[in-house]
Amino acid sequence: MSNIRKSMFNGEIAKHAVKESFIKLNPMFMIKNPVMFVVEVGTFVVLMMVLFPSYFATEDQLGFNISVFLILLFTVLFANFAESLAEGRGKAQADSLKKGKQEIKANKRVGLEIKIVNSTELRKGDVVIVSSGEMIPGDGEVIEGLASVDESAITGESAPVIKEAGGDFNSVTGGTRVVSDEIVVRITADPGESFIDKMISLVEGAQRQKTPNEIALNTLLTCLTLIFLIVVVTLAPIAKHFEIDLPIPVLISLLVCLIPTTIGGLLSAIGIAGMDRVTQFNVLAMSGKAVEASGDINTMILDKTGTITFGNRMASEFIPVGKMSKKELGYWASISSLKDETPEGRSVLELMRKLDYTIEDTIATGGEFVEFKAQTRMSGIDLKDGRHVRKGAVDSVRKWVESQGGLIPADLEDKANVIASDGGTPLAVAVDGVIYGLIYLKDTVKPGMKERFDQLRQMGIKTIMCTGDNPLTAATIAREAGVDSFIAESTPEDKIEVIRREQSEGKLVAMTGDGTNDAPALAQADVGLAMNSGTTAAKEAANMVDLDSDPSKIIEVVAIGKQLLMTRGALTTFSIANDVAKYFAIIPAMFMVAIPEMNVLNVMGLGSPLSAILSALIFNAVIIPLLIPLAMKGVKYKPMGASKLLSRNLIIYGVGGVIAPFIGIKAIDLIVHLWI
Amino acid sequence: MELLQMGIVIVVLLLLVKPVGTYMFHVFSNEPNRTDKVFGSTENVIFKIIGLRNRDSMNWKKYVLSFIATNAVLIAISYLLLRFQGMLPGNPSGIENMEASLALNTIISFMTNTNLQHYSGESGLTYLTQMAFVTMMMFTSAASGAAIAVAFIRGITRRGEGLGNFFQDFTKAIIRIFLPLALIVTIALVGLKVPQTFDPTATVRTLEGVEQQITMGPIASLEAIKHLGTNGGGFFGANSSHPFENPSPLTNVIEILSMWLLAASLPYMFGLFAKNKKQGWVIFSSMMILFLIFLSISYSSEKAGNPAINSLGIESSQGSMEGKEVRFGIAQSALFSTVTTAATTGSVNNMHDTLTPLGGLAALSEMMLNVVFGGKGVGLVNMLMYAILGVFICGLMVGRTPEFLGRKIEAREMKLIALVILVHPFIILVPTALSFMTASGYDSISNPGFHGLTQSLYEYTSSAANNGSGFEGLADNNVFWNVSTGLVMFFGRYMSIIAMLAVAGSLNAKKPVAETIGTFRTDNKLFIGILIGVVLLIGALTFLPVIVLGPVAEFLTLH
């Protein structure tokens, strides 16, 4: 799938787009795009004059009229091609999704029996059993069991993920495959409404609705078209008064050159391509509106764990307390972690290796591992010789030691606080009634995050970090990562409150989340990005889903949203600025025969009136395909402040838009003038 | 010396903008201030009489409705006055009732602050109608315009409080701004020998022994409000070129400043409302830059003279003096023409029909744009509309959906603005084309060449922009021109006002968005450039073809 996405001018897609651009000539389609519809009507009028020259008394202008007709036709076709090309990329993606969506046999549980049915017959609430090697027949929740599931069909990620009943990892997607074990799934979507179905219709663009900004822009473009229609229609009777005869094809040429065909032809392609860029990024936007809104984001709420930091806290130092030595502490810490498979446990052993301490595990043989429990907040090992080794939260370990009548070293509290204030988590290590010291667990900030937050600041976006850590730890990480503010010991309710507060100040808020308790906040946020690994509730509340489940992607999504809006603005400015040069080409050409003095306005020194009009018209047509790559890729976007960004784009697309057609039309005229 | 003359007037204006803008802000901010002592009691009496005790802020619909209803009542009274003026008192010169289509045209013309005159003041109106109709309309139409501008500004700068109370704004505009200023200007003009009398037309025997009729009347008072309210309708057909209306260069300067001052101070007032003076100066600067461009075109073209006349060997070192008053000269005439078409006043101190082609082009273009200061209120509202357009087009280029003064510009606003920018060229170009296609329209055009197009185009542009000055060569007092210009004035005024107040209402109801470093700034130099660019690209390009065929063709063929 990914290689299909990559090549833009994939032969198959291009061929299909060519075909589509002819099909789209149907006026019923065209009328949706008023600017290009006017061009099509003009094309039709000129075609009539070409076909029935005697009726219109235009026999002597047949050559010119044919040229105008062809150029106009191509103008419309180019615009249609741009749209089809953008749609084509989405269609190709949808097709490959559809391939994976074959009819699947499902083991439906009816009472105590198992019935084999087709997946299309499954309804919401049905319960199915899926065993290793089988496809999951529809979207649902795991209600029993645990299994690893290969979700590469939707995510492209080949490593299987664990799905289990209860908790935040219970949602499964139809069309994915169970690789090991067996699960019982309750179906949550009727056929046709599943995640893959939604995804197909989204990437296909079938449900594409114009975004609010697109509608507003379309209004402006339609209005400009009407204005120029008035200009051209009223010009003919006035000119007639001066015995200047303006043939209809010339008037149509003037009209087509003046109306904003460049942006009119590319507008929907820009929108589709913007959505597509998000999809290529493996993020599924539920609507174009969401992508547009992401460009407007003022505040971003990010979870600390997994987004800003790696999340697994690593042992980075041994800090002995009382009269204990570092070596003793390391010894017992490693004993307690020998059978501990958690990342924290493994990192203790890694630290031992790093410090070149030897791990003596003989004493532990035959010992009984004690797992971490939420109630005890400790783990460790009960040795054969009767000693109990524990490591865990400082509070818990202290209570455990005190309960056995042990003494608490005076410096324990202070040292633990120092670790916490540095953003770390202290783990106390104790053997029966004796505390040996602390393991300094450090949460590491992902590389490059600080630079990204700097960029966001330049874009005017405020970042708020949410974490369950205590305020001291949170402050340290926040400082290290460079976020603007943080909420420590945060609950899901805190997030909603922060979002509401920011929104009441007129800000647009983006956030990421995966758990069911994130769902209300995801719904409240203007842009909510749910992780595909998350719960169905979270995915439904969000307006985007990240198939790779990488929460830091929200930053790129914002950039894509901005790029989409910029592309639209840049091409609109370019299109309108073009009119200056076109006027200087066509106006003198129209009046020069009757008023020879008008040649002063022919600043480009175009060869002849007819060649001037054709050159302007050709420029107007070819600029559309020339700008297709820009429309599809989007204008270059570097994070910077609004003023800088504006001056840069204004020079390129505004000033450039005034100058470029002067050069282009002159160049085309040099060639066209060879014939006329 | 001539440049100095113009320079001094501009400097005086610049010095007055801040105090006058601040004063207007205090008038309309409705917060208690020192001027309440002077005017408060008068106003309260009026408010009591009209039963306006609470003066609640209105939503845009109610504001528009109040505005239209007030205008409708004034139109009805005026129609009766004009149709029966011959029988009413205050008619010492025995002037007759006005014909229906002319009466309609005249009333629309004065109510819309256009003051296009298809009649001649000295023979068409009685003293009563000059005062009870003309002067009354000059106050009320100007006050209506000011109220609209203030309402629009409140809508886009305040948050969800409505647009204000129309009746309160209307009353305050008259009591606190137009009446006191008119009083000052009238006294100044009387001091400079402008007549102010109720005596009937004087009959004198000249040295040659012939009898001459000299029309007089309450001229100074009309002259004051004519300019302060950017109305422009003269007491005499010759308007401000008549020695009784505008006897000296000094009265000329006073008249220029009185028509320019309030329009030029509005952007500053807007800055105060927006709590961002820079924002006001950005709007002011854009207007001033455009003004200076047109003034230079007008002045240099008039100064260069008419090559056709120059080639006849006629002394023309002064420039093109045809149709100009010797007591004003080129500089005072060019400045007057540029200001009167910029501020859409429409009074003239020289014959616009005899302006050189490019001089006429400058006057024409300012009315086509209708944003270079513009008439009472409307110019500022139009300029802010272009600012919104500029934000909409260029704002996207910073990668955010467009916002102006902290409000998102969305489809609803764009639809309304589209209507405004569509109506303006429509009501200018379509009737111009019609005047060339119909015999009744075409017969009035007195010039066969390219100048004929300019005549017709000027008439409709002046009507659409509610300016009211004319290329007086046009024989325009007939049903075709009375009705067509009447409609153009009507739609030119009311369509855009209603649509723009709807925009203000819609923006007012919006939740404001926060401003960050990523926000598109509209209060810096770059935005001045964008604003001028958008005005020229969208406002001016529309008219380029007809301009090329009119004044530009005339200019090119003359050389």
Side-chain angles (χ1 to χ4, degrees):
Chain A
M1 191 162 71
S2 54
N3 40 10
I4 297 174
R5 289 178 192 161
K6 268 171 202 151
S7 70
M8 193 173 95
F9 285 105
N10 176 301
E12 199 58 33
I13 296 177
K15 221 187 281 169
H16 187 72
V18 170
K19 208 176 98 195
E20 277 285 304
S21 40
F22 280 93
I23 294 172
K24 284 187 177 181
L25 286 176
N26 181 346
M28 301 293 283
F29 288 119
M30 291 300 293
I31 195 127
K32 285 180 199 152
N33 182 346
V35 182
M36 295 319 289
F37 182 71
V38 168
V39 182
E40 187 174 42
V41 172
T43 316
F44 180 75
V45 173
V46 181
L47 175 65
M48 288 297 115
M49 301 184 99
V50 169
L51 293 179
F52 310 106
S54 53
Y55 180 80
F56 294 95
T58 51
E59 290 97 332
D60 51 331
Q61 292 137 21
L62 197 59
F64 176 74
N65 288 356
I66 291 176
S67 322
V68 171
F69 164 71
L70 287 176
I71 302 170
L72 291 182
L73 180 65
F74 271 98
T75 312
V76 182
L77 286 176
F78 285 150
N80 287 350
F81 179 73
E83 193 182 84
S84 309
L85 202 60
E87 283 171 353
R89 294 163 73 193
K91 280 217 176 77
Q93 221 168 317
D95 287 344
S96 82
L97 278 173
K98 276 180 195 157
K99 265 181 218 154
K101 202 190 150 234
Q102 315 112 344
E103 189 80 333
I104 304 166
K105 293 281 178 218
N107 311 312
K108 183 176 164 190
R109 198 160 78 180
V110 186
L112 293 170
E113 286 172 54
I114 303 290
K115 243 170 96 184
I116 296 181
V117 295
N118 279 331
S119 58
T120 45
E121 289 165 31
L122 290 173
R123 291 292 176 275
K124 223 185 249 180
D126 286 352
V127 174
V128 294
I129 297 164
V130 193
S131 316
S132 170
E134 288 178 349
M135 287 261 216
I136 299 174
D139 290 4
E141 284 169 1
V142 181
I143 49 175
E144 278 172 40
L146 176 152
S148 54
V149 177
D150 171 12
E151 294 199 318
S152 60
I154 46 171
T155 62
E157 176 66 50
S158 55
V161 286
I162 303 290
K163 298 285 178 182
E164 59 182 326
D168 285 346
F169 297 98
N170 66 351
S171 87
V172 288
T173 313
T176 55
R177 186 179 296 277
V178 173
V179 202
S180 72
D181 305 292
E182 185 178 276
I183 44 174
V184 180
V185 175
R186 187 193 294 119
I187 300 295
T188 53
D190 286 335
E193 292 166 13
S194 72
F195 188 66
I196 290 216
D197 290 319
K198 267 191 219 157
M199 193 163 159
I200 289 172
S201 68
L202 276 171
V203 292
E204 239 179 356
Q207 285 185 341
R208 201 179 99 82
Q209 285 178 327
K210 282 190 179 139
T211 59
N213 176 259
E214 216 175 333
I215 293 170
L217 187 55
N218 226 334
T219 310
L220 177 67
L221 298 181
T222 310
C223 169
L224 289 176
T225 307
L226 279 174
I227 289 178
F228 286 119
L229 196 62
I230 296 169
V231 170
V232 172
V233 168
T234 54
L235 189 60
I238 295 173
K240 205 164 188 181
H241 169 66
F242 301 108
E243 269 130 39
I244 301 169
D245 195 29
L246 296 175
I248 288 173
V250 169
L251 288 173
I252 291 175
S253 306
L254 175 66
L255 176 65
V256 170
C257 281
L258 294 182
I259 62 178
T261 47
T262 312
I263 179 68
L266 293 172
L267 187 58
S268 62
I270 295 171
I272 299 168
M275 283 283 280
D276 195 47
R277 273 202 300 282
V278 176
T279 320
Q280 281 178 59
F281 210 64
N282 254 0
V283 172
L284 209 57
M286 297 304 168
S287 68
K289 199 177 163 181
V291 179
E292 216 172 81
S294 57
D296 283 347
I297 290 304
N298 303 96
T299 305
M300 215 180 252
I301 296 177
L302 300 162
D303 278 325
K304 185 200 82 175
T305 312
T307 310
I308 297 170
T309 63
F310 283 110
N312 15 358
R313 295 171 296 182
M314 311 285 209
S316 66
E317 212 180 321
F318 292 124
I319 300 172
V321 293
K323 287 178 187 143
M324 302 302 169
S325 74
K326 227 176 185 178
K327 278 225 162 130
E328 278 171 302
L329 170 62
Y331 175 74
W332 288 113
S334 62
I335 296 294
S336 73
S337 306
L338 278 174
K339 292 188 177 170
D340 185 357
E341 285 303 314
T342 62
E344 289 89 347
R346 267 174 289 166
S347 74
V348 170
L349 300 184
E350 237 163 74
L351 180 63
M352 290 291 285
R353 273 189 283 276
K354 219 191 270 166
L355 294 172
D356 275 335
Y357 290 179
T358 40
I359 304 168
E360 292 170 53
D361 51 359
T362 42
I363 189 170
T365 36
E368 198 183 325
F369 179 61
V370 180
E371 254 189 84
F372 177 86
K373 278 199 193 100
Q375 292 91 337
T376 58
R377 296 169 73 210
M378 291 186 299
S379 67
I381 192 163
D382 291 344
L383 299 176
K384 252 176 133 186
D385 60 9
R387 281 187 287 179
H388 307 280
V389 188
R390 291 291 182 274
K391 72 169 191 291
V394 179
D395 276 3
S396 312
V397 173
R398 193 176 56 196
K399 269 181 207 148
W400 179 72
V401 169
E402 276 169 350
S403 71
Q404 300 177 54
L407 285 172
I408 308 299
D411 55 347
L412 179 74
E413 195 75 38
D414 287 344
K415 284 185 173 163
N417 280 343
V418 169
I419 295 176
S421 69
D422 283 349
T425 309
L427 279 189
V429 178
V431 182
D432 291 331
V434 184
I435 295 188
Y436 279 84
L438 299 161
I439 306 173
Y440 185 162
L441 290 183
K442 215 175 183 178
D443 197 358
T444 26
V445 173
K446 289 184 179 174
M449 287 315 274
K450 204 177 168 66
E451 290 72 28
R452 278 172 141 187
F453 291 135
D454 282 343
Q455 287 176 356
L456 285 176
R457 228 183 322 280
Q458 280 170 19
M459 288 149 79
I461 297 172
K462 181 173 136 191
T463 42
I464 299 177
M465 180 183 86
C466 280
T467 169
D469 292 344
N470 63 55
L472 280 177
T473 314
T476 314
I477 294 276
R479 204 177 324 112
E480 204 176 317
V483 292
D484 296 313
S485 119
F486 65 89
I487 312 164
E489 288 163 355
S490 83
T491 61
E493 290 74 40
D494 285 342
K495 277 190 196 170
I496 301 184
E497 200 166 301
V498 174
I499 294 173
R500 291 222 175 103
R501 193 188 66 212
E502 293 285 312
Q503 284 174 337
S504 73
E505 288 169 19
K507 292 175 181 165
L508 268 73
V509 185
M511 73 161 278
T512 56
D514 52 8
T516 301
N517 50 17
D518 282 333
L522 282 169
Q524 178 73 34
D526 300 281
V527 173
L529 177 66
M531 301 298 105
N532 190 44
S533 59
T535 58
T536 317
K539 281 196 261 184
E540 265 167 15
N543 42 20
M544 290 189 200
V545 175
D546 178 20
L547 301 175
D548 298 338
S549 305
D550 170 7
S552 62
K553 263 195 199 169
I554 186 86
I555 298 171
E556 274 84 5
V557 171
V558 166
I560 293 175
K562 282 194 179 296
Q563 202 187 22
L564 168 71
L565 293 170
M566 275 167 49
T567 311
R568 223 179 257 159
L571 290 183
T572 306
T573 309
F574 185 81
S575 191
I576 295 174
N578 272 196
D579 276 3
V580 178
K582 291 175 189 165
Y583 260 131
F584 274 103
I586 297 187
I587 289 203
M590 284 197 305
F591 303 140
M592 221 145 71
V593 180
I595 314 166
E597 291 89 344
M598 285 281 172
N599 200 27
V600 183
L601 296 181
N602 182 9
V603 288
M604 284 176 267
L606 302 179
S608 73
L610 289 188
S611 114
I613 293 169
L614 287 182
S615 305
L617 212 50
I618 291 174
F619 177 84
N620 192 55
V622 296
I623 196 74
I624 297 177
L626 285 180
L627 289 175
I628 288 179
L630 184 71
M632 303 277 248
K633 275 191 223 138
V635 302
K636 227 173 156 187
Y637 175 59
K638 273 192 222 138
M640 55 173 106
S643 300
K644 253 196 201 160
L645 204 58
L646 181 66
S647 348
R648 186 172 159 270
N649 285 334
L650 258 187
I651 288 171
I652 300 177
Y653 300 101
V655 180
V658 174
I659 297 168
F662 277 103
I663 300 166
I665 293 174
K666 177 69 191 170
I668 296 169
D669 177 74
L670 289 176
I671 302 165
V672 174
H673 186 47
L674 297 177
W675 287 277
I676 13 173
Chain B
M1 190 58 201
E2 289 195 321
L3 290 179
L4 192 67
Q5 275 182 38
M6 296 190 284
I8 288 172
V9 178
I10 293 172
V11 168
V12 172
L13 177 90
L14 288 176
L15 291 176
L16 286 172
V17 159
K18 215 169 144 175
V20 174
T22 314
Y23 177 74
M24 286 199 287
F25 172 72
H26 286 312
V27 170
F28 292 114
S29 68
N30 291 337
E31 269 148 35
N33 62 71
R34 274 178 297 171
T35 53
D36 288 345
K37 268 191 201 148
V38 189
F39 302 105
S41 52
T42 324
E43 271 169 14
N44 285 334
V45 171
I46 296 172
F47 290 147
K48 224 169 246 169
I49 294 171
I50 58 173
L52 197 69
R53 192 155 311 146
N54 292 328
R55 305 194 285 283
D56 292 331
S57 185
M58 300 170 168
N59 62 25
W60 78 268
K61 281 183 193 150
K62 208 168 165 198
Y63 202 99
V64 165
L65 216 65
S66 312
F67 157 70
I68 290 177
T70 308
N71 278 203
V73 170
L74 294 173
I75 287 172
I77 296 171
S78 305
Y79 187 75
L80 293 177
L81 278 176
L82 286 185
R83 294 286 280 149
F84 300 107
Q85 61 175 354
M87 303 158 211
L88 293 169
N91 185 11
S93 313
I95 286 162
E96 306 206 337
N97 293 342
M98 195 179 263
E99 178 266 324
S101 84
L102 180 60
L104 199 68
N105 180 287
T106 307
I107 290 166
I108 293 177
S109 164
F110 278 86
M111 189 71 258
T112 58
N113 199 252
T114 312
N115 298 19
L116 188 76
Q117 291 163 296
H118 284 180
Y119 65 93
S120 209
E122 47 273 68
S123 57
L125 293 179
T126 67
Y127 284 179
L128 178 78
T129 44
Q130 284 278 23
M131 292 189 298
F133 164 65
V134 170
T135 312
M136 178 276 285
M137 280 292 202
M138 283 183 168
F139 276 101
T140 52
S141 68
S144 302
I148 296 301
V150 170
F152 184 82
I153 291 171
R154 281 200 201 106
I156 63 172
T157 55
R158 304 223 156 150
R159 306 200 154 156
E161 296 166 16
L163 307 188
N165 185 299
F166 173 77
F167 301 110
Q168 187 183 19
D169 292 340
F170 184 77
T171 313
K172 277 186 149 185
I174 294 178
I175 303 285
R176 297 198 184 201
I177 296 174
F178 293 114
L179 272 178
L181 278 178
L183 194 67
I184 297 169
V185 174
T186 306
I187 291 169
L189 290 178
V190 169
L192 292 165
K193 306 213 164 64
V194 176
Q196 177 78 6
T197 170
F198 285 110
D199 294 341
T201 304
T203 309
V204 291
R205 187 172 293 273
T206 63
L207 286 176
E208 291 166 323
V210 235
E211 282 210 338
Q212 193 187 351
Q213 311 279 326
I214 297 176
T215 313
M216 294 188 298
I219 301 170
S221 59
L222 181 120
E223 212 57 26
I225 188 61
K226 164 179 133 186
H227 287 114
L228 283 168
T230 68
N231 292 289
F235 195 93
F236 301 99
N239 212 301
S240 282
S241 57
H242 193 290
F244 283 178
E245 286 202 21
N246 190 4
S248 64
L250 198 54
T251 55
N252 197 49
V253 168
I254 290 177
E255 290 181 11
I256 288 176
L257 284 173
S258 6
M259 62 176 147
W260 201 1
L261 182 59
L262 293 176
S265 305
L266 277 174
Y268 187 79
M269 179 188 92
F270 162 67
L272 292 177
F273 266 101
K275 297 198 177 68
N276 182 352
K277 286 184 201 162
K278 260 168 91 187
Q279 184 69 65
W281 285 120
V282 161
I283 302 286
F284 178 86
S285 313
S286 311
M287 291 174 163
M288 198 49 152
I289 290 170
L290 285 168
F291 176 84
L292 291 175
I293 293 172
F294 289 120
L295 178 63
S296 347
I297 295 175
S298 178
Y299 174 71
S300 57
S301 173
E302 296 306 317
K303 192 75 194 163
N306 183 337
I309 291 180
N310 295 355
S311 62
L312 293 174
I314 294 170
E315 204 281 325
S316 58
S317 60
Q318 278 192 59
S320 173
M321 283 302 288
E322 185 194 355
K324 294 189 180 60
E325 297 293 309
V326 178
R327 66 183 184 281
F328 303 135
I330 296 292
Q332 290 280 334
S333 299
L335 184 61
F336 198 102
S337 291
T338 316
V339 173
T340 195
T341 46
T344 72
T345 308
S347 61
V348 289
N349 79 346
N350 66 87
M351 188 73 161
H352 281 196
D353 204 7
T354 57
L355 287 173
T356 55
L358 293 188
L361 170 72
L364 195 57
S365 311
E366 284 185 308
M367 295 189 295
M368 283 169 167
L369 298 180
N370 202 7
V371 295
V372 188
F373 298 109
K376 193 61 43 306
V378 180
L380 177 69
V381 174
N382 278 338
M383 195 51 135
L384 291 173
M385 176 194 78
Y386 278 106
I388 294 175
L389 260 181
V391 162
F392 184 78
I393 296 169
C394 299
L396 280 174
M397 284 197 287
V398 304
R400 294 175 62 86
T401 57
E403 56 210 36
F404 182 58
L405 301 179
R407 276 142 235 246
K408 289 243 170 276
I409 312 296
E410 287 163 311
R412 184 178 153 77
E413 292 78 48
M414 285 319 289
K415 273 184 198 142
L416 292 163
I417 288 175
L419 186 72
V420 178
I421 57 172
L422 187 62
V423 163
H424 194 59
F426 185 88
I427 60 177
I428 292 176
L429 294 176
V430 171
T432 305
L434 280 178
S435 74
F436 281 91
M437 292 161 79
T438 56
S440 49
Y442 188 64
D443 289 344
S444 300
I445 298 170
S446 60
N447 199 305
F450 303 115
H451 194 75
L453 169 58
T454 318
Q455 278 186 330
S456 173
L457 187 63
Y458 192 100
E459 185 78 0
Y460 288 114
T461 309
S462 173
S463 304
N466 298 135
N467 177 288
S469 66
F471 253 29
E472 293 300 339
L474 201 64
D476 48 19
N477 183 12
N478 59 42
V479 175
F480 177 89
W481 289 94
N482 282 342
V483 172
S484 62
T485 52
L487 289 173
V488 169
M489 288 186 283
F490 184 80
F491 287 113
R493 173 102 167 163
Y494 292 103
M495 287 279 272
S496 63
I497 283 181
I498 295 170
M500 290 315 289
L501 281 187
V503 170
S506 160
L507 290 177
N508 189 248
K510 270 187 193 179
K511 214 179 73 177
V513 289
E515 194 178 289
T516 66
I517 180 179
T519 308
F520 178 79
R521 294 207 74 86
T522 55
D523 58 357
N524 54 18
K525 279 186 202 134
L526 185 61
F527 194 68
I528 297 179
I530 290 176
L531 195 49
I532 294 176
V534 170
V535 165
L536 292 179
L537 271 178
I538 291 181
L541 276 189
T542 318
F543 295 105
L544 197 66
V546 273
I547 281 180
V548 166
L549 216 44
V552 173
E554 191 188 349
F555 169 78
L556 290 174
T557 48
L558 209 57
H559 282 75

